[in-house]
Structure formats: structure tokens, C-alpha cells
Amino acid sequence: MKGVCSLWLLLMVSMATALTPPNIIYILLDDWGYQDVGFRDSYILTPNMDKLAREGVILQNHYVTSICAPTRASLLTGRYPIRTGYWNGNHGAAVQWGLPLDETTMAEMLSRQGYSTHAIGKWHLGFHTEQYLPVRRGFDTFLGFISSCDQDHFQHRTKHGGFDLRLQYLGAQNEVKDEVLYDMKGVYNADIFTNRTLDLIKSHNPSEPLFVYLAYANVHVPLQAPKKAYDLYTGHLSENTTSTRKIVAAMASIVDEGVGRIVAELKKTGLYDNTILVVSSDNGGPGEHHSNYPLRGFKRSVYEGGVRSMSFVHSPLLSLTGYINSQVFHVVDWYRTFQRLSGGEEAREENDMDRRAVNGEEFKSQLQLDGVDIWDAISSN
């Protein structure tokens, strides 16, 4: 009888898991070189990502834009830069515009499907008015920096001198709560972002699906790394390796450590079996201290080295794993892919007047998407 009860409970858990949309963890890396990972025969130490990639699916031809903010906008909207307004590249901290407010973000779309949605790390999609903040764009919470880039990884000050590391969420009256985290001065931001992700996983209610958009600032300038990561390369690199290249390698390794900790926590909490993990870069490596080999060009270039990103997918939900997928994918494809996997509606027409509420705000109709659902092409090849 005891065995029958145990079998029944196991069956109930399995049925519940099957009916729950997958958890989605999207990790976006910053200025990461195409070759700067161990599974591409680099000397950079990334054992966790190497294992995850080799046990998942390595995306040989995953395309992004050649620079930061346009890729982020395209990922979160499923639309090309010519549509989102990011066709001309990044915007600086003083520019008064951002991701257009008529765009439906991935977080808004997944919120409609009952997801708990969280953004962590680098935003870079506008903040000049409250309506452009992550928690007004479908995310339940945000921890990171909202300005632009070039932020000190330890002191969290922008190149203009302002401190920018904050926790944001909506209060009881739907007001934006903004807690500036001055007590985090001196703590390396990649560690802060990893720890925030771990806290969300630990506290997550498994009865609802989870979406985490984790946008590390590594390996973007300023090139800085904690000593524990830098010391990994003592005696590991040739004497001809520049000190700057060594810092880039250390920055990569600290992210790899974080990715490993995140997956370990997913397994510990029981979320792993129903989770999709995607890792990619926002553009190619920017210069001589990064490697896009064997591709030509760097960040800001439309050559392959600028727009083809290091990327892989890892998930127990994949039907086929342990191979390199050579089909062509683009960052805009993830929106429609996650929309379908979440059980979401197909893209809405612009004149659709359905306006249910997300985060206390009426949501708008879905603008035309440019991406396609690529899950079957990855999972089954």
C-alpha cells in the first residue's frame, strides 16, 4: 500500500510538472567574444558552461545585433531594430528616449501567462521617465543598473560619476519603489547579480512559472575582476598573454562560476527538470583583448565577428542534446518561441483592443513580430 501511495504521489507531481509552463532563465552576456569559452577550444576557464553546452545544444549560428541596446530591445520585443527605434545603435545616459512604450515586452507577454518575472543586471533600454523602467515594462522586480554602460564593477558608479545600483519593485499603490543599494559598494556586480538570481530561485513558488532575465555586465569595460578569478590564471596562460587579456579571462570565469551556482540551485529546489536555460552574448567581442576567432570583425561591425554570438541552450526538456546545431537563428526568435512554450496566444493584431492588466497597467495589443518559433529546430534538429 505504501508503494502504491508513493507511486500515486510521483504521478501527481509528474502531471503537475507537465501542465506547468517551463521556467525560463535567459542569461545575456556583455561583449563576450565568440571563441572566449572553453567549448570553443579557448584557454579561458569556463567549465560550468562547457558542461552545460555539451550536454545541451550549442548554437553555431546564433545572430544578434552588433551592439548592446539594440540586441536587448530585439530580445525583449521579438522585433528588429528598425522597428524598435534602435536602428542607430545605443543611447547615452542623458538621452531622453528608450524602448517605445507601445512595444509589448517579453516580460509583459509572460506575465499574461502567470509567470513571475524578474530582471537583473544591465537594463540600458531607457529610464528618463518612470514608464521606461523595468518594473513598468512587465517585470515584477529589478535589481541592477538602469543607466547605460561603462559602470565600475565594484563601486557601481557610471563614467559620469553617479551611483547606480538599485532594487525596484511596485508598492501597494502601484507606485515604483526604488532602493539605492549603497551598502553594495565594493561587492563585485557579477556576484551581486548571481546572488540575486539564487535568492529568487530559492524563494520561488513552484506552482507558478518563473522568468529571469539575467543580464551580466561582464565582460564589458571597465575591465575589472575579483582576485579570486584573476588568480585562476596564475601559471595557466603563456608569458605572452597581456595583463588586459588575463582580466578579460578572469571576468569570464567569474560569470561561469555564477552560471554553475544557478544551475545547482535549480536542481536543489526541484525547478531544474522544467527549466529552459539560454545563454548568449549581446554582440561579438570588441577588440584585441577578446577573441571572435575564426570570425572576421568585432563589436560594432556587421561582419560575422560583430553579429554572431556565443550561444547555447540547456534543458531537460530538449528532445535531442549533445550536438552542435548549425541552423541560423536570430535573437528576435526567442520571443515567439517562449510565447508558444508558455502557452501564450499568438501575436495579436495591432487593432486588438483586449486590455487586461499586467502589473496594474492595461496591456497593449501585440505589434507585429519578426521572429519565428525555433524550439523544434533546436530540440529536434
Side-chain angles (χ1 to χ4, degrees):
M1 185 66 178
K2 191 174 189 179
V4 172
C5 291
S6 298
L7 183 61
W8 181 83
L9 286 171
L10 181 62
L11 180 62
M12 291 300 101
V13 171
S14 299
M15 289 176 63
T17 300
L19 294 173
T20 303
N23 305 304
I24 299 168
I25 312 290
Y26 198 108
I27 299 179
L28 187 65
L29 309 176
D30 203 340
D31 282 4
W32 201 286
Y34 183 78
Q35 195 208 15
D36 285 342
V37 69
F39 65 79
R40 293 208 184 278
D41 297 323
S42 172
Y43 53 71
I44 290 181
L45 301 172
T46 54
N48 293 299
M49 289 196 286
D50 297 346
K51 186 176 188 293
L52 293 169
R54 288 171 177 147
E55 293 178 354
V57 179
I58 297 172
L59 305 183
Q60 188 83 349
N61 298 300
H62 181 268
Y63 286 85
V64 291
T65 73
S66 65
I67 198 169
C68 171
T71 291
R72 296 161 200 273
S74 288
L75 169 65
L76 292 181
T77 64
R79 288 159 51 83
Y80 292 133
I82 194 67
R83 299 186 189 274
T84 63
Y86 283 87
W87 55 272
N88 199 29
N90 288 334
H91 51 66
V95 175
Q96 296 188 9
W97 68 280
L99 186 68
L101 298 179
D102 62 346
E103 296 284 356
T104 301
T105 69
M106 184 181 289
E108 289 174 297
M109 178 268 291
L110 291 172
S111 290
R112 300 172 188 175
Q113 302 309 121
Y115 275 73
S116 174
T117 59
H118 306 274
I120 303 167
K122 180 176 176 178
W123 178 237
H124 207 186
L125 290 175
F127 67 98
H128 62 288
T129 69
E130 182 181 287
Q131 298 306 310
Y132 289 83
L133 297 177
V135 293
R136 291 295 191 202
R137 308 310 300 267
F139 289 102
D140 297 329
T141 69
F142 169 74
L143 188 150
F145 57 100
I146 58 174
S147 54
S148 56
C149 51
D150 298 354
Q151 188 199 54
D152 188 285
H153 293 265
F154 289 99
Q155 299 306 316
H156 317 301
R157 293 192 176 278
T158 70
K159 61 184 178 182
H160 304 291
F163 186 91
D164 186 13
L165 182 69
R166 58 195 69 236
L167 172 65
Q168 294 181 337
Y169 54 94
L170 296 181
Q173 304 301 316
N174 199 39
E175 76 279 17
V176 174
K177 297 290 188 179
D178 183 43
E179 300 177 8
V180 182
L181 305 178
Y182 291 110
D183 59 333
M184 290 289 103
K185 286 183 180 180
V187 183
Y188 194 65
N189 67 11
D191 288 331
I192 295 172
F193 302 154
T194 296
N195 289 335
R196 171 63 176 173
T197 306
L198 296 177
D199 289 343
L200 290 171
I201 293 171
K202 290 174 184 176
S203 62
H204 181 67
N205 180 355
S207 66
E208 62 182 23
L210 172 68
F211 171 52
V212 176
Y213 167 53
L214 171 55
Y216 282 112
N218 291 32
V219 292
H220 197 287
V221 294
L223 300 181
Q224 301 167 314
K227 187 177 185 300
K228 64 177 180 179
Y230 194 81
D231 287 348
L232 292 173
Y233 290 90
T234 300
H236 179 69
L237 303 178
S238 71
E239 294 180 359
N240 296 327
T241 305
T242 66
S243 59
T244 304
R245 176 64 172 161
K246 187 175 179 180
I247 296 173
V248 170
M251 293 176 75
S253 290
I254 200 69
V255 166
D256 180 75
E257 177 192 312
V259 173
R261 293 174 63 200
I262 289 166
V263 173
E265 192 61 40
L266 288 169
K267 291 180 177 180
K268 183 178 179 181
T269 56
L271 297 178
Y272 172 78
D273 288 341
N274 194 39
T275 295
I276 297 169
L277 171 70
V278 182
V279 177
S280 76
S281 179
D282 60 348
N283 43 251
E288 62 179 322
H289 302 298
H290 308 74
S291 177
N292 296 321
Y293 182 84
L295 307 179
R296 177 186 183 185
F298 298 96
K299 175 183 179 179
R300 299 178 185 271
S301 164
V302 293
Y303 290 122
E304 293 283 293
V307 297
R308 201 160 136 194
S309 77
M310 184 281 287
S311 183
F312 66 87
V313 182
H314 181 91
S315 175
L317 302 176
L318 290 163
S319 299
L320 181 64
T321 59
Y323 80 101
I324 297 175
N325 188 305
S326 60
Q327 297 193 55
V328 176
F329 306 117
H330 194 275
V331 69
V332 296
D333 295 329
W334 291 112
Y335 189 110
R336 193 181 289 274
T337 301
F338 294 153
Q339 185 177 53
R340 199 263 291 178
L341 291 173
S342 69
E345 69 280 8
E346 289 299 315
R348 298 169 178 270
E349 297 298 326
E350 292 187 44
N351 60 359
D352 188 338
M353 296 304 294
D354 184 0
R355 293 184 178 274
R356 290 166 288 176
V358 174
N359 281 346
E361 310 236 347
E362 291 184 337
F363 71 67
K364 50 268 186 193
S365 53
Q366 174 68 66
L367 301 179
Q368 179 182 340
L369 298 178
D370 293 316
V372 297
D373 178 2
I374 58 176
W375 184 252
D376 290 341
I378 293 172
S379 180
S380 306
N381 195 25

